[in-house]
Amino acid sequence: MHSYSTIQAIYSYVTKNREDGKRVGFVPTMGALHKGHLSLVQRAKKENDLVICSIFVNPTQFNEKSDLENYPSDFNRDKELLLSVDCDAVFFPSVNEMYPDEIKTEGTELGEIAVTMEGANRPGHFEGVVTIVRKLFKAVPADASYFGEKDYQQLAVIKHLVKSEQIPVKIVGCPIIREENGLAMSSRNERLSQMGKKKASLIYDQLKWIREHYFELSVSELIQAVEMSFDEHDEFNLEYLSIADENTLQPFEDRRTSNHPRAFIAVWLEGVRLIDNIGLQE
Ligand code: PAF
């Protein structure tokens, strides 16, 4: 597996391969890789001739300093994992490489999809994501780029970016990979205790419960019932639960408003913020 840490080196590698007729897939990550990331690499491997994974913990997308400081990282382990799925190259730039002048976001119009849920609860987060993803797409001009649906709203924001700035890359959304107990895989899960990981199954259980009862109860009844379940478990702190249209990302009250409903949740457990979502017509 090739390793590159400068934009110039990765850019030359990608453009040379594309000139040789190779189709290139790209998986941007912040490291602390897990099976969810590896599934993106595997999908990209199937659909392309070669695959590049980037590992960069992007400072501008953390709206809380402590979250950035506590973000797990183990580059050697990540490299081993990438080798195990036959990744062709890893791009791991320094902060100075990606932000040579100032560590700041670059203005962008994110659209209404970025205003709700994660956008409302993590001010500046999507501005940071878009800033780095735009830079990464310039450094790695791939044919297709792969993102997990766990960060469903992020995926929508990135699709919006690519469309509005006419970036020539295909964005592919990939299904959430879960632990056996249903907990959505996330780098942040590493910060949970064994007990926390067990208890966190409540999140997916509640999402499934919403899906099961979606056509029987009103949206507000569904939300109230789930809020009550979390209230009964002191260790959880529910940040938001929204039932929203998966295209507009706007929450709605009346089921008839949306043909593509999805439930979205953000919960705190043991000081760790966990997000998840589920399609309600699956
Ligand atoms: O989903 C992530 O890991 C990050 O938000 C991304 C897309 C790599 C940008 O830093």
Side-chain angles (χ1 to χ4, degrees):
M1 186 172 66
H2 300 277
S3 296
Y4 300 106
S5 57
T6 66
I7 292 175
Q8 205 187 5
I10 190 73
Y11 182 83
S12 307
Y13 172 75
V14 176
T15 46
K16 161 111 193 27
N17 275 288
R18 288 191 69 184
E19 275 159 24
D20 289 348
K22 300 253 169 67
R23 191 184 154 83
V24 176
F26 178 36
V27 180
T29 78
M30 297 207 297
L33 302 181
H34 49 69
K35 284 188 192 146
H37 295 115
L38 300 185
S39 75
L40 302 181
V41 176
Q42 282 164 326
R43 169 88 178 262
K45 269 305 263 194
K46 266 198 202 134
E47 297 179 0
N48 300 276
D49 298 308
L50 55 96
V51 175
I52 292 144
C53 175
S54 66
I55 296 182
F56 179 67
V57 182
N58 173 36
T60 63
Q61 71 186 74
F62 288 83
N63 55 316
E64 282 190 20
K65 208 170 158 237
S66 62
D67 193 21
L68 172 61
E69 283 163 2
N70 292 325
Y71 202 81
S73 95
D74 185 343
F75 185 57
N76 288 331
R77 182 174 167 273
D78 286 348
K79 263 171 87 171
E80 288 301 316
L81 288 172
L82 289 175
L83 270 173
S84 75
V85 286
D86 218 11
C87 184
D88 298 276
V90 58
F91 176 47
F92 62 107
S94 64
V95 172
N96 192 46
E97 183 71 11
M98 298 313 287
Y99 293 96
D101 299 326
E102 209 184 324
I103 304 180
K104 66 166 176 54
T105 55
E106 277 157 22
T108 202
E109 190 279 308
L110 296 172
E112 62 161 11
I113 48 164
V115 176
T116 56
M117 302 185 287
E118 292 301 283
N121 286 277
R122 300 186 68 191
H125 169 65
F126 285 133
E127 284 78 1
V129 169
V130 162
T131 300
I132 194 61
V133 169
R134 186 193 288 115
K135 285 171 185 271
L136 287 168
F137 284 162
K138 274 194 192 154
V140 185
D143 293 275
S145 189
Y146 296 77
F147 295 87
E149 285 185 347
K150 184 178 75 68
D151 296 293
Y152 200 91
Q153 198 175 10
Q154 165 174 283
L155 174 62
V157 167
I158 292 170
K159 282 183 181 163
H160 178 84
L161 163 76
V162 162
K163 196 168 173 210
S164 69
E165 299 189 8
Q166 298 182 307
I167 303 174
V169 62
K170 180 181 167 199
I171 302 299
V172 184
C174 303
I176 299 174
I177 305 294
R178 299 183 179 280
E179 302 286 354
E180 250 170 53
N181 71 356
L183 172 63
M185 295 223 178
S186 163
S187 305
R188 288 190 170 81
N189 296 353
E190 280 186 29
R191 284 163 49 203
L192 292 173
S193 68
Q194 280 310 106
M195 184 52 91
K197 280 185 190 154
K198 264 195 183 163
K199 287 185 173 167
S201 61
L202 181 67
I203 301 167
Y204 188 48
D205 286 346
Q206 290 299 309
L207 290 178
K208 283 190 299 188
W209 186 87
I210 294 178
R211 186 177 61 190
E212 273 158 37
H213 296 85
Y214 185 65
F215 292 101
E216 279 162 38
L217 299 174
S218 71
V219 168
S220 59
E221 283 166 340
L222 290 164
I223 291 182
Q224 253 177 35
V226 171
E227 281 172 353
M228 271 169 63
S229 298
F230 280 103
D231 278 351
E232 281 162 17
H233 294 83
D234 278 353
E235 61 277 35
F236 288 95
N237 192 354
L238 179 62
E239 189 173 289
Y240 67 77
L241 168 66
S242 288
I243 296 183
D245 181 86
E246 60 184 29
N247 296 321
T248 65
L249 278 305
Q250 300 309 306
F252 58 84
E253 292 275 317
D254 180 347
R255 199 186 302 120
R256 289 165 301 181
T257 318
S258 170
N259 291 327
H260 303 280
R262 188 168 278 266
F264 297 85
I265 194 166
V267 187
W268 288 86
L269 173 64
E270 298 181 338
V272 182
R273 187 172 185 275
L274 303 168
I275 61 170
D276 201 348
N277 65 80
I278 193 169
L280 299 175
Q281 281 182 335
E282 284 167 5

mmCIF file of all heavy atoms in Angstrom, residues 211-254:
data_model
loop_
_atom_site.group_PDB
_atom_site.id
_atom_site.type_symbol
_atom_site.label_atom_id
_atom_site.label_comp_id
_atom_site.label_asym_id
_atom_site.label_seq_id
_atom_site.Cartn_x
_atom_site.Cartn_y
_atom_site.Cartn_z
ATOM 1 N N ARG A 211 -39.988 2.486 13.633
ATOM 2 C CA ARG A 211 -40.311 1.935 12.301
ATOM 3 C C ARG A 211 -41.506 0.975 12.391
ATOM 4 O O ARG A 211 -42.403 1.012 11.556
ATOM 5 C CB ARG A 211 -39.087 1.205 11.741
ATOM 6 C CG ARG A 211 -39.288 0.730 10.319
ATOM 7 C CD ARG A 211 -38.050 0.082 9.750
ATOM 8 N NE ARG A 211 -37.647 -1.086 10.516
ATOM 9 C CZ ARG A 211 -36.508 -1.740 10.360
ATOM 10 N NH1 ARG A 211 -35.636 -1.321 9.464
ATOM 11 N NH2 ARG A 211 -36.203 -2.794 11.084
ATOM 12 N N GLU A 212 -41.523 0.147 13.454
ATOM 13 C CA GLU A 212 -42.623 -0.822 13.600
ATOM 14 C C GLU A 212 -43.973 -0.140 13.788
ATOM 15 O O GLU A 212 -45.008 -0.644 13.377
ATOM 16 C CB GLU A 212 -42.372 -1.731 14.812
ATOM 17 C CG GLU A 212 -41.538 -2.947 14.487
ATOM 18 C CD GLU A 212 -40.867 -3.501 15.743
ATOM 19 O OE1 GLU A 212 -41.496 -3.474 16.829
ATOM 20 O OE2 GLU A 212 -39.692 -3.926 15.624
ATOM 21 N N HIS A 213 -43.961 1.020 14.483
ATOM 22 C CA HIS A 213 -45.233 1.669 14.835
ATOM 23 C C HIS A 213 -45.541 2.885 13.975
ATOM 24 O O HIS A 213 -46.473 3.627 14.264
ATOM 25 C CB HIS A 213 -45.227 2.045 16.330
ATOM 26 C CG HIS A 213 -45.148 0.845 17.208
ATOM 27 N ND1 HIS A 213 -43.951 0.256 17.546
ATOM 28 C CD2 HIS A 213 -46.114 0.081 17.764
ATOM 29 C CE1 HIS A 213 -44.189 -0.809 18.293
ATOM 30 N NE2 HIS A 213 -45.494 -0.938 18.437
ATOM 31 N N TYR A 214 -44.737 3.078 12.928
ATOM 32 C CA TYR A 214 -44.830 4.321 12.150
ATOM 33 C C TYR A 214 -46.234 4.560 11.583
ATOM 34 O O TYR A 214 -46.724 5.683 11.556
ATOM 35 C CB TYR A 214 -43.784 4.321 11.019
ATOM 36 C CG TYR A 214 -43.764 5.622 10.262
ATOM 37 C CD1 TYR A 214 -43.386 6.804 10.902
ATOM 38 C CD2 TYR A 214 -44.160 5.688 8.934
ATOM 39 C CE1 TYR A 214 -43.388 8.015 10.225
ATOM 40 C CE2 TYR A 214 -44.161 6.899 8.248
ATOM 41 C CZ TYR A 214 -43.775 8.049 8.905
ATOM 42 O OH TYR A 214 -43.790 9.249 8.238
ATOM 43 N N PHE A 215 -46.889 3.506 11.141
ATOM 44 C CA PHE A 215 -48.204 3.707 10.518
ATOM 45 C C PHE A 215 -49.365 3.579 11.514
ATOM 46 O O PHE A 215 -50.512 3.733 11.159
ATOM 47 C CB PHE A 215 -48.384 2.747 9.331
ATOM 48 C CG PHE A 215 -47.447 3.107 8.197
ATOM 49 C CD1 PHE A 215 -46.277 2.394 7.989
ATOM 50 C CD2 PHE A 215 -47.726 4.187 7.368
ATOM 51 C CE1 PHE A 215 -45.404 2.753 6.974
ATOM 52 C CE2 PHE A 215 -46.859 4.547 6.344
ATOM 53 C CZ PHE A 215 -45.694 3.829 6.148
ATOM 54 N N GLU A 216 -49.038 3.306 12.788
ATOM 55 C CA GLU A 216 -50.101 3.155 13.799
ATOM 56 C C GLU A 216 -50.260 4.407 14.642
ATOM 57 O O GLU A 216 -51.350 4.743 15.075
ATOM 58 C CB GLU A 216 -49.696 2.069 14.813
ATOM 59 C CG GLU A 216 -49.920 0.666 14.394
ATOM 60 C CD GLU A 216 -49.060 -0.243 15.283
ATOM 61 O OE1 GLU A 216 -48.927 0.023 16.496
ATOM 62 O OE2 GLU A 216 -48.505 -1.203 14.716
ATOM 63 N N LEU A 217 -49.155 5.081 14.924
ATOM 64 C CA LEU A 217 -49.169 6.222 15.851
ATOM 65 C C LEU A 217 -48.827 7.504 15.110
ATOM 66 O O LEU A 217 -48.215 7.462 14.037
ATOM 67 C CB LEU A 217 -48.144 5.993 16.960
ATOM 68 C CG LEU A 217 -48.353 4.760 17.848
ATOM 69 C CD1 LEU A 217 -47.179 4.584 18.798
ATOM 70 C CD2 LEU A 217 -49.646 4.891 18.648
ATOM 71 N N SER A 218 -49.200 8.638 15.705
ATOM 72 C CA SER A 218 -48.834 9.915 15.069
ATOM 73 C C SER A 218 -47.354 10.186 15.340
ATOM 74 O O SER A 218 -46.746 9.600 16.254
ATOM 75 C CB SER A 218 -49.693 11.041 15.639
ATOM 76 O OG SER A 218 -49.292 11.285 16.973
ATOM 77 N N VAL A 219 -46.795 11.116 14.570
ATOM 78 C CA VAL A 219 -45.377 11.446 14.735
ATOM 79 C C VAL A 219 -45.110 11.923 16.167
ATOM 80 O O VAL A 219 -44.145 11.505 16.811
ATOM 81 C CB VAL A 219 -44.951 12.496 13.680
ATOM 82 C CG1 VAL A 219 -43.591 13.081 14.006
ATOM 83 C CG2 VAL A 219 -44.953 11.870 12.288
ATOM 84 N N SER A 220 -46.001 12.788 16.689
ATOM 85 C CA SER A 220 -45.730 13.290 18.048
ATOM 86 C C SER A 220 -45.873 12.174 19.083
ATOM 87 O O SER A 220 -45.129 12.146 20.071
ATOM 88 C CB SER A 220 -46.587 14.498 18.381
ATOM 89 O OG SER A 220 -47.926 14.157 18.271
ATOM 90 N N GLU A 221 -46.775 11.225 18.866
ATOM 91 C CA GLU A 221 -46.891 10.100 19.815
ATOM 92 C C GLU A 221 -45.621 9.238 19.778
ATOM 93 O O GLU A 221 -45.130 8.791 20.816
ATOM 94 C CB GLU A 221 -48.114 9.220 19.472
ATOM 95 C CG GLU A 221 -49.425 9.823 19.910
ATOM 96 C CD GLU A 221 -50.641 9.140 19.294
ATOM 97 O OE1 GLU A 221 -50.511 8.447 18.246
ATOM 98 O OE2 GLU A 221 -51.737 9.325 19.845
ATOM 99 N N LEU A 222 -45.116 9.035 18.576
ATOM 100 C CA LEU A 222 -43.883 8.230 18.448
ATOM 101 C C LEU A 222 -42.738 8.906 19.204
ATOM 102 O O LEU A 222 -42.004 8.270 19.964
ATOM 103 C CB LEU A 222 -43.493 8.081 16.970
ATOM 104 C CG LEU A 222 -44.403 7.207 16.107
ATOM 105 C CD1 LEU A 222 -44.150 7.468 14.619
ATOM 106 C CD2 LEU A 222 -44.197 5.729 16.424
ATOM 107 N N ILE A 223 -42.619 10.211 18.974
ATOM 108 C CA ILE A 223 -41.505 10.944 19.596
ATOM 109 C C ILE A 223 -41.646 10.944 21.118
ATOM 110 O O ILE A 223 -40.693 10.668 21.845
ATOM 111 C CB ILE A 223 -41.393 12.366 19.002
ATOM 112 C CG1 ILE A 223 -40.915 12.230 17.548
ATOM 113 C CG2 ILE A 223 -40.443 13.254 19.810
ATOM 114 C CD1 ILE A 223 -40.689 13.494 16.790
ATOM 115 N N GLN A 224 -42.872 11.190 21.577
ATOM 116 C CA GLN A 224 -43.109 11.213 23.040
ATOM 117 C C GLN A 224 -42.751 9.880 23.684
ATOM 118 O O GLN A 224 -42.120 9.833 24.736
ATOM 119 C CB GLN A 224 -44.577 11.481 23.298
ATOM 120 C CG GLN A 224 -44.842 12.868 23.812
ATOM 121 C CD GLN A 224 -46.346 13.073 23.960
ATOM 122 O OE1 GLN A 224 -47.088 12.143 24.307
ATOM 123 N NE2 GLN A 224 -46.788 14.277 23.657
ATOM 124 N N ALA A 225 -43.164 8.793 23.023
ATOM 125 C CA ALA A 225 -42.921 7.459 23.596
ATOM 126 C C ALA A 225 -41.419 7.196 23.714
ATOM 127 O O ALA A 225 -40.951 6.674 24.739
ATOM 128 C CB ALA A 225 -43.588 6.393 22.733
ATOM 129 N N VAL A 226 -40.674 7.566 22.685
ATOM 130 C CA VAL A 226 -39.223 7.312 22.718
ATOM 131 C C VAL A 226 -38.556 8.232 23.752
ATOM 132 O O VAL A 226 -37.661 7.806 24.496
ATOM 133 C CB VAL A 226 -38.607 7.469 21.309
ATOM 134 C CG1 VAL A 226 -37.093 7.426 21.362
ATOM 135 C CG2 VAL A 226 -39.140 6.372 20.398
ATOM 136 N N GLU A 227 -39.014 9.479 23.824
ATOM 137 C CA GLU A 227 -38.472 10.391 24.848
ATOM 138 C C GLU A 227 -38.673 9.788 26.240
ATOM 139 O O GLU A 227 -37.775 9.833 27.078
ATOM 140 C CB GLU A 227 -39.146 11.761 24.759
ATOM 141 C CG GLU A 227 -38.562 12.605 23.634
ATOM 142 C CD GLU A 227 -39.329 13.913 23.389
ATOM 143 O OE1 GLU A 227 -40.410 14.119 24.009
ATOM 144 O OE2 GLU A 227 -38.853 14.707 22.573
ATOM 145 N N MET A 228 -39.857 9.192 26.454
ATOM 146 C CA MET A 228 -40.138 8.592 27.766
ATOM 147 C C MET A 228 -39.202 7.416 28.039
ATOM 148 O O MET A 228 -38.712 7.251 29.156
ATOM 149 C CB MET A 228 -41.597 8.150 27.852
ATOM 150 C CG MET A 228 -42.478 9.268 28.369
ATOM 151 S SD MET A 228 -44.214 8.898 28.192
ATOM 152 C CE MET A 228 -44.389 7.476 29.253
ATOM 153 N N SER A 229 -38.956 6.615 27.009
ATOM 154 C CA SER A 229 -38.037 5.468 27.215
ATOM 155 C C SER A 229 -36.661 5.942 27.632
ATOM 156 O O SER A 229 -36.033 5.352 28.517
ATOM 157 C CB SER A 229 -37.870 4.653 25.935
ATOM 158 O OG SER A 229 -39.072 4.128 25.559
ATOM 159 N N PHE A 230 -36.173 7.010 26.976
ATOM 160 C CA PHE A 230 -34.838 7.501 27.363
ATOM 161 C C PHE A 230 -34.871 8.138 28.751
ATOM 162 O O PHE A 230 -33.901 8.024 29.500
ATOM 163 C CB PHE A 230 -34.274 8.451 26.300
ATOM 164 C CG PHE A 230 -33.687 7.707 25.124
ATOM 165 C CD1 PHE A 230 -34.371 7.615 23.925
ATOM 166 C CD2 PHE A 230 -32.454 7.067 25.235
ATOM 167 C CE1 PHE A 230 -33.834 6.903 22.844
ATOM 168 C CE2 PHE A 230 -31.909 6.356 24.170
ATOM 169 C CZ PHE A 230 -32.608 6.274 22.967
ATOM 170 N N ASP A 231 -36.002 8.784 29.086
ATOM 171 C CA ASP A 231 -36.127 9.371 30.436
ATOM 172 C C ASP A 231 -36.007 8.300 31.515
ATOM 173 O O ASP A 231 -35.534 8.558 32.621
ATOM 174 C CB ASP A 231 -37.492 10.065 30.594
ATOM 175 C CG ASP A 231 -37.472 11.455 29.985
ATOM 176 O OD1 ASP A 231 -36.372 11.915 29.613
ATOM 177 O OD2 ASP A 231 -38.561 12.056 29.855
ATOM 178 N N GLU A 232 -36.476 7.097 31.182
ATOM 179 C CA GLU A 232 -36.423 6.007 32.171
ATOM 180 C C GLU A 232 -34.996 5.489 32.374
ATOM 181 O O GLU A 232 -34.749 4.695 33.264
ATOM 182 C CB GLU A 232 -37.321 4.840 31.714
ATOM 183 C CG GLU A 232 -38.786 5.101 31.988
ATOM 184 C CD GLU A 232 -39.698 4.195 31.174
ATOM 185 O OE1 GLU A 232 -39.225 3.163 30.641
ATOM 186 O OE2 GLU A 232 -40.881 4.555 31.042
ATOM 187 N N HIS A 233 -34.086 5.874 31.482
ATOM 188 C CA HIS A 233 -32.693 5.426 31.600
ATOM 189 C C HIS A 233 -31.807 6.647 31.848
ATOM 190 O O HIS A 233 -31.427 7.342 30.908
ATOM 191 C CB HIS A 233 -32.245 4.703 30.320
ATOM 192 C CG HIS A 233 -32.970 3.425 30.086
ATOM 193 N ND1 HIS A 233 -34.198 3.364 29.482
ATOM 194 C CD2 HIS A 233 -32.632 2.148 30.394
ATOM 195 C CE1 HIS A 233 -34.586 2.110 29.429
ATOM 196 N NE2 HIS A 233 -33.662 1.354 29.968
ATOM 197 N N ASP A 234 -31.503 6.872 33.147
ATOM 198 C CA ASP A 234 -30.771 8.078 33.558
ATOM 199 C C ASP A 234 -29.448 8.284 32.844
ATOM 200 O O ASP A 234 -28.971 9.400 32.687
ATOM 201 C CB ASP A 234 -30.424 7.973 35.052
ATOM 202 C CG ASP A 234 -31.599 8.391 35.875
ATOM 203 O OD1 ASP A 234 -32.582 8.865 35.273
ATOM 204 O OD2 ASP A 234 -31.522 8.217 37.116
ATOM 205 N N GLU A 235 -28.824 7.178 32.457
ATOM 206 C CA GLU A 235 -27.473 7.268 31.872
ATOM 207 C C GLU A 235 -27.496 7.889 30.478
ATOM 208 O O GLU A 235 -26.474 8.319 29.969
ATOM 209 C CB GLU A 235 -26.780 5.897 31.868
ATOM 210 C CG GLU A 235 -27.437 4.790 31.070
ATOM 211 C CD GLU A 235 -28.571 4.066 31.802
ATOM 212 O OE1 GLU A 235 -29.306 4.701 32.578
ATOM 213 O OE2 GLU A 235 -28.738 2.856 31.557
ATOM 214 N N PHE A 236 -28.683 7.958 29.845
ATOM 215 C CA PHE A 236 -28.789 8.554 28.509
ATOM 216 C C PHE A 236 -29.277 9.988 28.597
ATOM 217 O O PHE A 236 -30.116 10.322 29.431
ATOM 218 C CB PHE A 236 -29.810 7.778 27.655
ATOM 219 C CG PHE A 236 -29.330 6.433 27.210
ATOM 220 C CD1 PHE A 236 -29.655 5.295 27.931
ATOM 221 C CD2 PHE A 236 -28.562 6.294 26.065
ATOM 222 C CE1 PHE A 236 -29.225 4.043 27.525
ATOM 223 C CE2 PHE A 236 -28.122 5.040 25.648
ATOM 224 C CZ PHE A 236 -28.453 3.915 26.378
ATOM 225 N N ASN A 237 -28.768 10.804 27.681
ATOM 226 C CA ASN A 237 -29.287 12.149 27.557
ATOM 227 C C ASN A 237 -29.631 12.363 26.077
ATOM 228 O O ASN A 237 -28.739 12.410 25.237
ATOM 229 C CB ASN A 237 -28.187 13.115 28.032
ATOM 230 C CG ASN A 237 -28.724 14.501 28.208
ATOM 231 O OD1 ASN A 237 -29.886 14.766 27.866
ATOM 232 N ND2 ASN A 237 -27.893 15.398 28.707
ATOM 233 N N LEU A 238 -30.929 12.415 25.814
ATOM 234 C CA LEU A 238 -31.377 12.521 24.417
ATOM 235 C C LEU A 238 -31.198 13.964 23.942
ATOM 236 O O LEU A 238 -31.765 14.882 24.521
ATOM 237 C CB LEU A 238 -32.853 12.104 24.347
ATOM 238 C CG LEU A 238 -33.543 12.155 22.995
ATOM 239 C CD1 LEU A 238 -32.885 11.200 22.003
ATOM 240 C CD2 LEU A 238 -35.019 11.806 23.155
ATOM 241 N N GLU A 239 -30.389 14.158 22.895
ATOM 242 C CA GLU A 239 -30.179 15.528 22.397
ATOM 243 C C GLU A 239 -31.294 15.901 21.417
ATOM 244 O O GLU A 239 -31.887 16.959 21.519
ATOM 245 C CB GLU A 239 -28.809 15.643 21.737
ATOM 246 C CG GLU A 239 -28.444 17.077 21.403
ATOM 247 C CD GLU A 239 -27.007 17.197 20.901
ATOM 248 O OE1 GLU A 239 -26.070 17.030 21.695
ATOM 249 O OE2 GLU A 239 -26.844 17.454 19.704
ATOM 250 N N TYR A 240 -31.522 15.056 20.448
ATOM 251 C CA TYR A 240 -32.698 15.256 19.596
ATOM 252 C C TYR A 240 -33.184 13.935 19.031
ATOM 253 O O TYR A 240 -32.414 12.982 18.890
ATOM 254 C CB TYR A 240 -32.438 16.255 18.455
ATOM 255 C CG TYR A 240 -31.445 15.812 17.388
ATOM 256 C CD1 TYR A 240 -31.797 14.896 16.392
ATOM 257 C CD2 TYR A 240 -30.154 16.330 17.358
ATOM 258 C CE1 TYR A 240 -30.892 14.501 15.415
ATOM 259 C CE2 TYR A 240 -29.239 15.943 16.389
ATOM 260 C CZ TYR A 240 -29.620 15.024 15.423
ATOM 261 O OH TYR A 240 -28.720 14.627 14.460
ATOM 262 N N LEU A 241 -34.481 13.915 18.748
ATOM 263 C CA LEU A 241 -35.066 12.811 17.993
ATOM 264 C C LEU A 241 -35.976 13.481 16.979
ATOM 265 O O LEU A 241 -36.860 14.240 17.353
ATOM 266 C CB LEU A 241 -35.882 11.903 18.913
ATOM 267 C CG LEU A 241 -36.771 10.903 18.173
ATOM 268 C CD1 LEU A 241 -35.947 9.889 17.398
ATOM 269 C CD2 LEU A 241 -37.688 10.175 19.143
ATOM 270 N N SER A 242 -35.722 13.274 15.705
ATOM 271 C CA SER A 242 -36.542 13.922 14.679
ATOM 272 C C SER A 242 -37.013 12.886 13.687
ATOM 273 O O SER A 242 -36.261 11.984 13.319
ATOM 274 C CB SER A 242 -35.713 14.931 13.870
ATOM 275 O OG SER A 242 -35.430 16.058 14.632
ATOM 276 N N ILE A 243 -38.250 13.074 13.242
ATOM 277 C CA ILE A 243 -38.719 12.297 12.095
ATOM 278 C C ILE A 243 -38.778 13.306 10.954
ATOM 279 O O ILE A 243 -39.462 14.331 11.041
ATOM 280 C CB ILE A 243 -40.058 11.613 12.390
ATOM 281 C CG1 ILE A 243 -39.828 10.611 13.528
ATOM 282 C CG2 ILE A 243 -40.609 10.938 11.132
ATOM 283 C CD1 ILE A 243 -41.006 9.778 13.926
ATOM 284 N N ALA A 244 -37.968 13.047 9.936
ATOM 285 C CA ALA A 244 -37.782 14.055 8.885
ATOM 286 C C ALA A 244 -37.822 13.387 7.519
ATOM 287 O O ALA A 244 -37.663 12.167 7.407
ATOM 288 C CB ALA A 244 -36.442 14.764 9.084
ATOM 289 N N ASP A 245 -38.022 14.207 6.508
ATOM 290 C CA ASP A 245 -37.969 13.689 5.142
ATOM 291 C C ASP A 245 -36.504 13.481 4.763
ATOM 292 O O ASP A 245 -35.662 14.350 4.994
ATOM 293 C CB ASP A 245 -38.625 14.698 4.196
ATOM 294 C CG ASP A 245 -38.607 14.186 2.776
ATOM 295 O OD1 ASP A 245 -39.531 13.440 2.413
ATOM 296 O OD2 ASP A 245 -37.652 14.512 2.036
ATOM 297 N N GLU A 246 -36.188 12.316 4.174
ATOM 298 C CA GLU A 246 -34.759 12.035 3.959
ATOM 299 C C GLU A 246 -34.153 12.830 2.805
ATOM 300 O O GLU A 246 -32.941 12.880 2.669
ATOM 301 C CB GLU A 246 -34.476 10.533 3.829
ATOM 302 C CG GLU A 246 -35.148 9.840 2.719
ATOM 303 C CD GLU A 246 -34.883 8.330 2.732
ATOM 304 O OE1 GLU A 246 -34.670 7.739 3.811
ATOM 305 O OE2 GLU A 246 -34.917 7.750 1.643
ATOM 306 N N ASN A 247 -34.963 13.486 2.007
ATOM 307 C CA ASN A 247 -34.403 14.346 0.949
ATOM 308 C C ASN A 247 -34.226 15.780 1.408
ATOM 309 O O ASN A 247 -33.202 16.398 1.154
ATOM 310 C CB ASN A 247 -35.293 14.308 -0.297
ATOM 311 C CG ASN A 247 -35.320 12.901 -0.881
ATOM 312 O OD1 ASN A 247 -34.299 12.219 -0.909
ATOM 313 N ND2 ASN A 247 -36.480 12.462 -1.315
ATOM 314 N N THR A 248 -35.243 16.308 2.116
ATOM 315 C CA THR A 248 -35.150 17.718 2.530
ATOM 316 C C THR A 248 -34.515 17.872 3.914
ATOM 317 O O THR A 248 -34.095 18.966 4.280
ATOM 318 C CB THR A 248 -36.552 18.370 2.597
ATOM 319 O OG1 THR A 248 -37.288 17.710 3.651
ATOM 320 C CG2 THR A 248 -37.293 18.243 1.279
ATOM 321 N N LEU A 249 -34.506 16.787 4.697
ATOM 322 C CA LEU A 249 -34.004 16.790 6.069
ATOM 323 C C LEU A 249 -34.825 17.713 6.982
ATOM 324 O O LEU A 249 -34.338 18.135 8.036
ATOM 325 C CB LEU A 249 -32.504 17.155 6.131
ATOM 326 C CG LEU A 249 -31.464 16.054 5.870
ATOM 327 C CD1 LEU A 249 -31.651 14.858 6.772
ATOM 328 C CD2 LEU A 249 -31.408 15.598 4.447
ATOM 329 N N GLN A 250 -36.063 18.017 6.549
ATOM 330 C CA GLN A 250 -36.931 18.853 7.380
ATOM 331 C C GLN A 250 -37.858 17.941 8.195
ATOM 332 O O GLN A 250 -38.539 17.088 7.616
ATOM 333 C CB GLN A 250 -37.793 19.798 6.504
ATOM 334 C CG GLN A 250 -36.990 20.741 5.635
ATOM 335 C CD GLN A 250 -35.931 21.523 6.397
ATOM 336 O OE1 GLN A 250 -36.226 22.192 7.383
ATOM 337 N NE2 GLN A 250 -34.685 21.431 5.956
ATOM 338 N N PRO A 251 -37.879 18.137 9.516
ATOM 339 C CA PRO A 251 -38.794 17.356 10.358
ATOM 340 C C PRO A 251 -40.245 17.689 10.014
ATOM 341 O O PRO A 251 -40.540 18.799 9.571
ATOM 342 C CB PRO A 251 -38.482 17.833 11.771
ATOM 343 C CG PRO A 251 -37.170 18.520 11.692
ATOM 344 C CD PRO A 251 -37.053 19.061 10.306
ATOM 345 N N PHE A 252 -41.124 16.722 10.200
ATOM 346 C CA PHE A 252 -42.547 16.990 9.942
ATOM 347 C C PHE A 252 -43.395 16.338 11.027
ATOM 348 O O PHE A 252 -42.933 15.438 11.739
ATOM 349 C CB PHE A 252 -42.946 16.485 8.548
ATOM 350 C CG PHE A 252 -42.685 15.012 8.351
ATOM 351 C CD1 PHE A 252 -43.599 14.064 8.781
ATOM 352 C CD2 PHE A 252 -41.504 14.579 7.753
ATOM 353 C CE1 PHE A 252 -43.340 12.707 8.616
ATOM 354 C CE2 PHE A 252 -41.239 13.219 7.594
ATOM 355 C CZ PHE A 252 -42.168 12.283 8.026
ATOM 356 N N GLU A 253 -44.623 16.841 11.138
ATOM 357 C CA GLU A 253 -45.557 16.333 12.143
ATOM 358 C C GLU A 253 -46.564 15.382 11.502
ATOM 359 O O GLU A 253 -46.993 14.422 12.107
ATOM 360 C CB GLU A 253 -46.355 17.508 12.733
ATOM 361 C CG GLU A 253 -45.534 18.461 13.569
ATOM 362 C CD GLU A 253 -45.418 17.985 14.995
ATOM 363 O OE1 GLU A 253 -46.448 17.543 15.538
ATOM 364 O OE2 GLU A 253 -44.299 18.029 15.544
ATOM 365 N N ASP A 254 -46.937 15.713 10.263
ATOM 366 C CA ASP A 254 -48.001 14.974 9.593
ATOM 367 C C ASP A 254 -47.370 13.960 8.631
ATOM 368 O O ASP A 254 -46.658 14.330 7.700
ATOM 369 C CB ASP A 254 -48.854 15.987 8.801
ATOM 370 C CG ASP A 254 -49.994 15.310 8.063
ATOM 371 O OD1 ASP A 254 -50.000 14.060 7.955
ATOM 372 O OD2 ASP A 254 -50.880 16.037 7.583
#
